[in-house]
C-alpha cells in the first residue's frame, strides 16, 4: 500500500480543520493522527518532537514537519501550485498581507477572546479585557469585509483558496465559542464574508471534513458543536 505523503496531527474542530479542508480541496492523500486534548497528548514528548510548542496542528511532510497554521497553508499552496497566487504573480503581495493579517492579527485575537482568563492577568480584569478583544475582532472583520467587497481573485465565493477556508473556519468558531458568550456575533454584519463561508460550505472538501470530524451539514453558516467519532474539540 502506498504511504500517504502527509500526516495531519489534529484535534476535531481545532485549527487543524483548516489544514484538513485545504488538503481535501487539493485532492492530496493524507492520514490523520489524533492529538487527544482531553488526555493532553499535545504535552507529550512524542508530540513535542513534532511541534515544540505543543499546539495543534502539525503536518508531517516529505520535507519534515511543519507547524503554524499559516505556514502550513502557504507551504501547501506553493508545493501544489494551487489555492493562492504563486510567487511572482501580481496578486501575490496583496494576498500575503491578508493571509498574514488573518493568521497573526485576526486569529491571534480570536484566541485571546476564547481564553481571556489566560491572558487578562487578575480575574477582575477579564471583563474589560474581553470587551476590548471583541472590539478589535469587530474592527478586523470590518477590514476584511471591505477587502472582500473588492472581490480579489483569491477571495471570492466561486474561487476557493487557503484564505477563504481559513476565514470560514474563524467565522464558524466565533459563532460557537466561548459557549454562552457569542451573543455579540452576527455573521450578517459581514455579508461578503458570510457569502464566502456559505460557498465554502458547499464544497466537496467541506462535506468530507464535516463527516470526518462530526461537524454537521451547515458547518459555516449555521454551525453546531462537533460530535466527532474520536477525540474532543476542547
Amino acid at each position: 500500500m502506498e504511504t500517504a505523503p502527509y500526516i495531519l496531527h489534529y484535534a476535531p474542530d481545532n485549527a487543524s480543520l483548516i489544514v484538513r479542508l485545504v488538503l481535501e480541496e487539493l485532492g492530496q492523500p493524507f492520514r490523520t493522527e489524533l492529538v487527544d486534548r482531553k488526555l493532553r497528548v499535545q504535552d507529550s514528548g512524542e508530540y513535542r518532537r513534532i511541534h515544540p510548542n505543543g499546539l495543534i496542528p502539525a503536518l508531517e511532510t516529505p520535507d519534515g514537519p511543519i507547524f503554524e497554521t499559516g505556514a502550513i497553508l502557504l507551504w501547501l499552496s506553493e508545493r501544489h501550485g494551487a489555492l493562492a497566487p504563486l510567487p511572482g504573480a501580481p496578486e501575490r503581495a496583496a494576498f500575503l498581507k491578508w493571509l498574514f493579517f488573518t493568521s497573526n492579527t485576526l486569529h491571534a485575537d480570536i484566541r485571546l477572546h476564547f481564553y481571556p482568563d489566560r491572558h487578562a492577568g487578575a480575574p477582575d480584569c477579564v471583563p474589560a479585557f474581553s470587551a476590548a478583544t471583541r472590539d478589535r475582532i469587530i474592527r478586523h472583520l470590518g477590514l476584511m469585509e471591505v477587502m472582500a467587497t473588492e472581490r480579489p481573485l483569491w477571495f471570492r465565493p466561486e474561487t476557493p483558496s487557503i484564505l477563504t477556508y481559513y476565514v470560514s473556519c474563524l467565522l464558524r468558531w466565533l459563532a460557537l465559542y466561548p459557549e454562552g458568550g457569542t451573543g455579540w456575533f452576527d455573521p450578517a454584519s459581514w455579508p461578503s464574508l458570510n457569502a464566502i463561508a456559505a460557498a465554502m460550505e458547499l464544497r466537496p472538501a467541506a462535506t468530507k471534513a464535516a463527516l470526518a470530524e462530526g461537524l454537521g451539514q451547515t458547518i459555516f453558516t449555521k454551525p453546531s458543536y462537533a460530535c466527532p467519532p474520536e477525540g474532543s474539540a476542547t
Side-chain angles (χ1 to χ4, degrees):
M1 180 180 295
E2 185 178 353
T3 303
Y6 300 121
I7 302 172
L8 175 61
H9 294 262
Y10 91 107
D13 209 13
N14 278 233
S16 50
L17 172 61
I18 310 165
V19 180
R20 182 193 289 272
L21 286 160
V22 166
L23 286 167
E24 293 285 8
E25 185 69 44
L26 289 169
Q28 291 299 311
F30 66 99
R31 67 179 179 88
T32 56
E33 290 286 345
L34 175 67
V35 182
D36 195 328
R37 292 185 60 179
K38 285 197 177 298
L39 299 179
R40 301 295 302 177
V41 169
Q42 64 267 37
D43 295 331
S44 68
E46 182 178 1
Y47 186 66
R48 292 281 179 142
R49 283 190 288 274
I50 298 167
H51 194 325
N53 289 329
L55 300 175
I56 303 166
L59 184 71
E60 292 190 67
T61 82
D63 295 344
I66 309 176
F67 53 86
E68 293 297 325
T69 302
I72 296 171
L73 297 176
L74 190 58
W75 187 89
L76 284 171
S77 73
E78 292 182 356
R79 181 80 167 204
H80 299 288
L83 301 184
L86 294 178
E91 305 88 7
R92 177 76 168 182
F95 174 81
L96 287 177
K97 72 183 180 185
W98 285 108
L99 175 64
F100 282 89
F101 176 82
T102 299
S103 178
N104 296 352
T105 303
L106 175 58
H107 196 175
D109 270 339
I110 288 173
R111 283 193 292 266
L112 297 181
H113 171 60
F114 291 162
Y115 307 108
D117 54 312
R118 300 181 187 178
H119 305 282
D124 58 354
C125 295
V126 169
F129 179 90
S130 295
T133 305
R134 285 195 301 271
D135 287 344
R136 290 197 304 275
I137 292 170
I138 290 169
R139 289 197 299 273
H140 302 334
L141 292 174
L143 292 174
M144 297 209 74
E145 174 70 14
V146 172
M147 177 271 289
T149 62
E150 297 170 354
R151 291 179 55 82
L153 293 175
W154 36 265
F155 202 71
R156 296 179 178 180
E158 66 273 19
T159 310
S161 70
I162 59 176
L163 190 55
T164 60
Y165 277 119
Y166 201 155
V167 172
S168 296
C169 287
L170 295 180
L171 294 176
R172 167 185 171 80
W173 297 322
L174 284 169
L176 292 175
Y177 301 107
E179 292 189 43
T182 61
W184 64 277
F185 180 73
D186 179 9
S189 299
W190 303 283
S192 296
L193 299 182
N194 200 40
I196 295 280
M200 295 306 103
E201 182 176 273
L202 299 177
R203 303 285 303 176
T207 301
K208 292 180 181 179
L211 181 62
E213 300 196 11
L215 306 180
Q217 294 183 328
T218 52
I219 65 172
F220 298 136
T221 58
K222 294 182 180 178
S224 56
Y225 295 113
C227 185
E230 64 173 2
S232 170
T234 58

